C-alpha cells in the first residue's frame, strides 16, 4: 500500500479508517451533536500559507461589490476519493438569502483551480469534512474560496444579516485575515437574534462547523486595523445536504445521478 493512500483514509491492509480519529480535534463530533456547532482549527492539518496564495487570483464577484470568489462542486466517489463533479451554478432562494443581487437567481462563478483541488491536503480536508458529516458517495459538496479586500467599512454579508445558507452541513474556515478589525462571527438559535449562542472572532486556520438548518449565523462588518493600509479577509465555505429546493432543482438538472437531500 502506497504511503499517499494512507493519507486518504486507508490503512496498510487496504481497509478504510475513520479520519475523525486523526483529523479533527477531540470533542468536535460531540459538540455538533449536543449543541449543533463546534469551533476548532485546521492550521495544524494544512499548509495554510500555500492555501492563502490561492486568494491572489480570485475573480471579482459579479453579484456582490468588493467580493472575490471561486467555487466548485465536489463529491466522494464509491471508493471515498474526492472528485470534481463539474459545473453547476449556485442558487439560493429568497427564504435563505435576502440580498437583492443574489436571491432567487442563478449565480455563475469560475471554478477552484486544479492546482488547488489536486493538493493532497485539500483532498484530505474535504474527505475528513465529508466524514465528519457522514456524507456518502455522490452527495454534492459546495466548496468556495471567497472574501473581501479594500479600504473603509465593508459588510461581508452584503445585507444578509442573521441568516441560514439553506443546507444541513456548513463550515466556515478563515483562510486569510490581514489588517482587519471586526469580522466577529455570531451564532443564534433564532433568526431574530434574541437567543445568542456564540460570539467568536476566528483567526486564520480556525473553522466553525454548524448545523445550518438548526443554527443561524451572521458576521460583523470589517475595516482596516491600520487605516493607512488595505485589508483582506478571505474564507472557505464548505457545505452540503441542501434544504433549499431551488438549489436542489439546479443540482438535479446538472448532476442527474447525485444523491440529494430533497424535501419533496
Amino acid at each position: 500500500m502506497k504511503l499517499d493512500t494512507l493519507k486518504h483514509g486507508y490503512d496498510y491492509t487496504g481497509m478504510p479508517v475513520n479520519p475523525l480519529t486523526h483529523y479533527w480535534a477531540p470533542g468536535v463530533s460531540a459538540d455538533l451533536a449536543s449543541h449543533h456547532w463546534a469551533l476548532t482549527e485546521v492550521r495544524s492539518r494544512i499548509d495554510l500559507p500555500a492555501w492563502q496564495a490561492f486568494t491572489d487570483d480570485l475573480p471579482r464577484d459579479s453579484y456582490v461589490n468588493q467580493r472575490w470568489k471561486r467555487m466548485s462542486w465536489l463529491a466522494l466517489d464509491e471508493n471515498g476519493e474526492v472528485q470534481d463533479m463539474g459545473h453547476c451554478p449556485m442558487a439560493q432562494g429568497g427564504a435563505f438569502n435576502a440580498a437583492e443581487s443574489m436571491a432567487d437567481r442563478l449565480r455563475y462563478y469560475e471554478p477552484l483551480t486544479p492546482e488547488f483541488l489536486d493538493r493532497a491536503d485539500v483532498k484530505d480536508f474535504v474527505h475528513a469534512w465529508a466524514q465528519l458529516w457522514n456524507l456518502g458517495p455522490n452527495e454534492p459538496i459546495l466548496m468556495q474560496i471567497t472574501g473581501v479586500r479594500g479600504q473603509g467599512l465593508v459588510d461581508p454579508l452584503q445585507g444578509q444579516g442573521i441568516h441560514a445558507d439553506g443546507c444541513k452541513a456548513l463550515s466556515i474556515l478563515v483562510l486569510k485575515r490581514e489588517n482587519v478589525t471586526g469580522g466577529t462571527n455570531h451564532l443564534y438559535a433564532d433568526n431574530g437574534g434574541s437567543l445568542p449562542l456564540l460570539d467568536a472572532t476566528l483567526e486564520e486556520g480556525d473553522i466553525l462547523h454548524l448545523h445550518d438548518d438548526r443554527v443561524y449565523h451572521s458576521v460583523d462588518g470589517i475595516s482596516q486595523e491600520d487605516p493607512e493600509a488595505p485589508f483582506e479577509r478571505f474564507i472557505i465555505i464548505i457545505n452540503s445536504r441542501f434544504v433549499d429546493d431551488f438549489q436542489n432543482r439546479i443540482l438535479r438538472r446538472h448532476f442527474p445521478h447525485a444523491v440529494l437531500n430533497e424535501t419533496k
Side-chain angles (χ1 to χ4, degrees):
M1 185 66 61
K2 294 181 179 179
L3 181 59
D4 60 356
T5 306
L6 289 175
K7 295 169 65 179
H8 296 290
Y10 297 87
D11 66 16
Y12 283 108
T13 69
M15 297 299 293
V17 297
N18 189 343
L20 294 182
T21 62
H22 68 273
Y23 198 95
W24 302 109
V28 168
S29 293
D31 285 345
L32 276 171
S34 63
H35 49 254
H36 308 308
W37 62 268
L39 180 58
T40 185
E41 58 84 23
V42 295
R43 67 181 65 85
S44 60
R45 303 297 185 188
I46 67 175
D47 185 342
L48 186 58
W51 285 33
Q52 290 171 336
F54 289 97
T55 66
D56 294 341
D57 70 342
L58 294 178
R60 290 290 296 262
D61 190 319
S62 301
Y63 310 93
V64 183
N65 292 331
Q66 291 183 274
R67 184 184 289 178
W68 283 255
K69 183 171 183 173
R70 288 184 184 271
M71 57 164 250
S72 289
W73 292 96
L74 312 174
L76 301 183
D77 65 15
E78 298 293 338
N79 297 315
E81 296 295 322
V82 178
Q83 301 295 320
D84 186 342
M85 297 184 73
H87 173 74
C88 176
M90 188 176 184
Q92 286 182 308
F96 299 101
N97 191 326
E100 184 177 347
S101 65
M102 295 180 278
D104 296 314
R105 63 188 300 180
L106 301 182
R107 289 185 278 155
Y108 297 86
Y109 297 99
E110 292 296 316
L112 299 171
T113 64
E115 292 79 10
F116 178 74
L117 292 177
D118 288 343
R119 291 184 56 88
D121 57 354
V122 172
K123 291 183 177 181
D124 287 345
F125 169 78
V126 176
H127 185 264
W129 186 85
Q131 289 293 314
L132 176 66
W133 294 100
N134 296 313
L135 299 185
N138 302 313
E139 291 197 65
I141 300 168
L142 178 58
M143 187 174 189
Q144 311 170 51
I145 299 178
T146 182
V148 293
R149 56 164 62 102
Q151 296 178 312
L153 179 67
V154 173
D155 171 13
L157 298 177
Q158 301 293 314
Q160 291 184 71
I162 300 171
H163 69 290
D165 283 10
C167 60
K168 288 181 175 289
L170 171 67
S171 299
I172 302 164
L173 163 62
V174 172
L175 188 58
K176 194 173 186 180
R177 182 182 168 96
E178 293 187 357
N179 193 36
V180 169
T181 182
T184 298
N185 290 85
H186 306 282
L187 298 183
Y188 307 91
D190 67 319
N191 61 2
S194 63
L195 300 172
L197 299 173
L198 174 71
D199 301 309
T201 303
L202 277 61
E203 300 298 333
E204 295 179 348
D206 289 342
I207 185 167
L208 178 62
H209 304 294
L210 58 139
H211 287 281
D212 184 67
D213 59 333
R214 302 181 184 184
V215 175
Y216 296 87
H217 61 279
S218 69
V219 61
D220 292 341
I222 60 178
S223 60
Q224 303 115 289
E225 191 170 41
D226 175 1
E228 302 301 319
F231 66 78
E232 292 191 17
R233 182 180 183 270
F234 286 92
I235 61 175
I236 284 178
I237 302 173
I238 183 168
N239 58 332
S240 186
R241 290 190 176 155
F242 296 89
V243 298
D244 187 338
D245 289 336
F246 182 29
Q247 182 67 84
N248 277 332
R249 289 198 306 272
I250 302 305
L251 284 168
R252 177 62 68 209
R253 183 184 304 171
H254 287 263
F255 308 130
H257 304 294
V259 176
L260 302 181
N261 180 65
E262 293 173 304
T263 58
K264 296 181 180 179

